[in-house]
Amino acid sequence: ERVLELARRLSRGEALGTGAEEGEEGCRKHREPLEAFCREDGALLCAICRESRAHRAHTVLPLPEAARELEEQIQAGLQTLMDDRDKLLELREAEMRRNW
C-alpha cells in the first residue's frame, strides 16, 4: 500500500512526505530538495540524508528511476490481478452453466 501511494504521488509530480524528515518544501531536517529514493526504507531522501549512516549501505535510486521501477511493479501486480479475475469469471460462468 505504501509503495502504491508513493508511486501515485511520484507520477503526479507531488512532493512525498513519507515520514518525519520530509515535507512539501523538501527534507525537513536539512531543508534540501528530495532527489533520491531509498528502496529499503521506502523513503525519499535529500543529498545529505542519502549520505547519512542510516542510508549509506542501502540501495538509493534517483527519483525518475525509482518512479519507473515502482510503476513497473504496480503494472505487473495489476496484470496478475486482472489474470486472476479473468480466471475467476470463467469459473463462475462455467459453474452457472453447469447449474442451469
Side-chain angles (χ1 to χ4, degrees):
E1 184 177 320
R2 185 174 179 191
V3 170
L4 180 59
E5 180 59 25
L6 287 171
R8 282 182 185 147
R9 294 181 73 188
L10 278 172
S11 70
R12 292 190 303 246
E14 293 180 14
L16 299 180
T18 60
E21 293 184 358
E22 296 96 29
E24 287 182 22
E25 68 280 354
C27 176
R28 288 185 188 167
K29 187 174 182 181
H30 303 110
R31 301 285 188 229
E32 294 286 325
L34 300 170
E35 58 186 41
F37 179 77
C38 175
R39 274 190 188 161
E40 283 79 357
D41 296 331
L44 292 177
L45 308 172
C46 71
I48 298 169
C49 290
R50 182 184 66 217
E51 298 302 322
S52 71
R53 285 185 187 150
H55 301 284
R56 193 175 296 153
H58 294 174
T59 304
V60 177
L61 302 171
L63 286 183
E65 186 177 335
R68 185 175 29 80
E69 284 189 11
L70 291 172
E71 183 178 355
E72 289 170 1
Q73 289 174 8
I74 291 168
Q75 290 297 331
L78 179 61
Q79 185 61 48
T80 300
L81 290 172
M82 288 172 34
D83 292 345
D84 290 348
R85 182 199 63 194
D86 291 343
K87 288 176 187 174
L88 287 171
L89 288 173
E90 288 174 13
L91 287 172
R92 178 179 163 206
E93 185 177 325
E95 186 65 23
M96 288 177 71
R97 273 186 268 145
R98 189 177 70 102
N99 287 335
W100 280 97

